[in-house]
Amino acid sequence: MKKWLIPVLVILAVVFGFYNFTKGFNNTAIELNENVAESWANVETSYQRRTDLIGNLVNTVQGAADFERGTLVDVIEARAKATSVSIDPSNITPAQLEQFNKVQGGISGALKSLLVTVERYPELKANQNFLKLQDELASTENQILTARTRFNENTKPYNNHVKKFPNSILAGWFDFEGKPYFQSEAGAEKPVKVDFSKK
């Protein structure tokens, strides 16, 4: 074997090894990123279901002639704000996720107020359409919790992949950044105050 061939083979082996490592990193990051994007789409789908149900719930409640209009307006406005926030999962930032969480928290608060207010109206509480919508809404809240949990579960392996050394170096080259986790809404640690008394 010629002496000049050995360094050439070593260089080719190093280049081939680096290529395989880089390709493996990139392909795995893309696959994990797609898992995060899919789970984010499931979060949005769950919230969209809730938004759609709220429209039906508001229409049912509006049928009660003496129902508090202010409560309905709050729900309608919160729903409008919630549908105005859109996030691209490939570029999701902690600030965007916080804003999304904030507007969704606003709709959750408005819904809680609506449901507590409904307790004062026996004819509305007995309305079969309202009861069905209320059950569907409770089911949807569980779906939202599951979707958010799965988003976090898919975010963790992606973040581990792009943040660990030496992958973190390649992540910078390929523009893969860590993604934020869904966290509870501000004030979620406080107990909910429920007041069924008439005012």
Side-chain angles (χ1 to χ4, degrees), residues 1 9 11 27 38 51 60 88 98 100 105 114 119 128 130 135 167 191:
M1 181 180 274
L9 290 175
I11 291 170
N27 290 345
E38 177 187 23
T51 302
T60 301
D88 175 8
E98 183 180 341
F100 183 85
L114 175 70
E119 291 296 322
Q128 290 302 311
F130 178 79
D135 285 344
N167 290 358

Side-chain angles (χ1 to χ4, degrees), residues 50-195:
R50 178 172 76 170
T51 302
D52 294 344
L53 284 172
I54 290 169
N56 294 336
L57 191 66
V58 166
N59 289 337
T60 301
V61 170
Q62 280 177 330
D66 58 347
F67 194 80
E68 285 98 349
R69 298 292 172 218
T71 305
L72 286 175
V73 169
D74 290 346
V75 172
I76 292 166
E77 287 176 358
R79 178 181 181 228
K81 283 181 189 173
T83 57
S84 69
V85 175
S86 178
I87 294 178
D88 175 8
S90 63
N91 297 319
I92 195 168
T93 65
Q96 289 173 324
L97 198 54
E98 183 180 341
Q99 181 190 16
F100 183 85
N101 214 14
K102 185 177 179 182
V103 295
Q104 293 299 336
I107 203 167
S108 294
L111 273 175
K112 286 175 189 170
S113 296
L114 175 70
L115 295 176
V116 167
T117 306
V118 162
E119 291 296 322
R120 300 183 200 143
Y121 295 86
E123 71 283 356
L124 191 52
K125 284 180 12 180
N127 181 308
Q128 290 302 311
N129 285 340
F130 178 79
L131 293 174
K132 183 179 178 210
L133 288 167
Q134 195 173 12
D135 285 344
E136 285 185 41
L137 197 56
S139 171
T140 300
E141 292 297 328
N142 288 331
Q143 289 175 2
I144 289 170
L145 172 63
T146 301
R148 288 172 57 154
T149 301
R150 288 188 181 145
F151 174 79
N152 284 346
E153 288 170 352
N154 283 314
T155 299
K156 182 178 180 180
Y158 170 82
N159 283 345
N160 283 337
H161 183 70
V162 300
K163 289 182 177 182
K164 286 184 178 178
F165 183 80
N167 290 358
S168 57
I169 295 170
L170 293 176
W173 291 355
F174 290 109
D175 282 334
F176 288 111
E177 296 179 8
K179 298 191 184 296
Y181 291 97
F182 240 119
Q183 297 180 351
S184 63
E185 299 161 12
E189 71 284 354
K190 298 174 187 170
V192 176
K193 183 179 178 184
V194 178
D195 181 9

Side-chain angles (χ1 to χ4, degrees), residues 6-22:
I6 293 173
V8 170
L9 290 175
V10 169
I11 291 170
L12 286 174
V14 169
V15 168
F16 183 71
F18 182 73
Y19 166 78
N20 278 336
F21 174 70
T22 304

